[in-house]
Amino acid sequence: MADQNGCTIRVVRKWQTPSSTISEFSIDDSEISGYILEPQGPSTTLSGLDRRIPTGTYNLDWYNSPSFGKILPRLSNSDVSKTRYILIHSGNFPAETLGCLMPGASKGANFVNSSASLTRKIIKHLQSCDINKSSVIITEEFN
């Protein structure tokens, strides 16, 4: 169970198509795991291209998203600015990623399922952590 220490989300990119990237993810010291749908490659630090972010370690903070009307986890690091607004939010298809990470309980070709319920579970878990000590680690092991 999480405490006032940070949480670590591990994302391992496994599958890519011309439309999307799908990863497996897990949260350390929890039962939470599944898949992440992201935009297709190539990865970039530039904003406005609806492309996935580079591999690496990202800090988390809470962002009050006007687009989604709720507070969501936001990723950033020294290469990818907070102003790129890389969020963890629900969605099922590549057109909905907006450059962000969308969790799902199961996957198919270019989609994830049960995104809304899994996203709520992730957010609830992150609320039990110190968000300023939390991170997302993205690696690649493409099949």
Side-chain angles (χ1 to χ4, degrees), residues 20-66:
S20 71
T21 304
I22 296 182
S23 307
E24 293 177 336
F25 88 92
S26 61
I27 301 178
D28 288 3
D29 302 318
S30 84
E31 301 290 321
I32 302 170
S33 65
Y35 300 94
I36 296 281
L37 179 68
E38 293 180 88
Q40 73 274 24
S43 301
T44 183
T45 59
L46 301 174
S47 63
L49 299 177
D50 194 20
R51 294 280 192 244
R52 67 183 184 222
I53 55 176
T55 58
T57 300
Y58 291 83
N59 303 311
L60 286 172
D61 72 334
W62 294 114
Y63 174 67
N64 190 359
S65 171

Side-chain angles (χ1 to χ4, degrees), residues 1 3 5 13 17 34 41-43 46 48 52 55 57-58 61 64-65 73 75 84 94 102 123 125-126 136:
M1 188 62 156
D3 55 29
N5 292 316
R13 292 179 177 146
T17 72
S43 301
L46 301 174
R52 67 183 184 222
T55 58
T57 300
Y58 291 83
D61 72 334
N64 190 359
S65 171
L75 289 75
R84 185 157 167 201
M102 299 188 314
I123 290 170
H125 185 79
L126 288 174
V136 175

Side-chain angles (χ1 to χ4, degrees), residues 4 11 22 26 35 37 39 48 67 72 84 99 104 111-112 120 126 130:
Q4 291 308 306
V11 176
I22 296 182
S26 61
Y35 300 94
L37 179 68
S67 303
L72 296 169
R84 185 157 167 201
F111 69 91
V112 293
R120 283 191 299 272
L126 288 174
D130 182 341

Side-chain angles (χ1 to χ4, degrees), residues 35 91-93 102-108 111-118:
Y35 300 94
N92 300 320
F93 301 100
M102 299 188 314
S106 61
K107 68 169 183 65
F111 69 91
V112 293
N113 288 319
S114 304
S115 185
S117 60
L118 187 54

Side-chain angles (χ1 to χ4, degrees), residues 89-104:
H89 66 79
S90 62
N92 300 320
F93 301 100
E96 299 168 309
T97 63
L98 308 172
C100 299
L101 283 66
M102 299 188 314

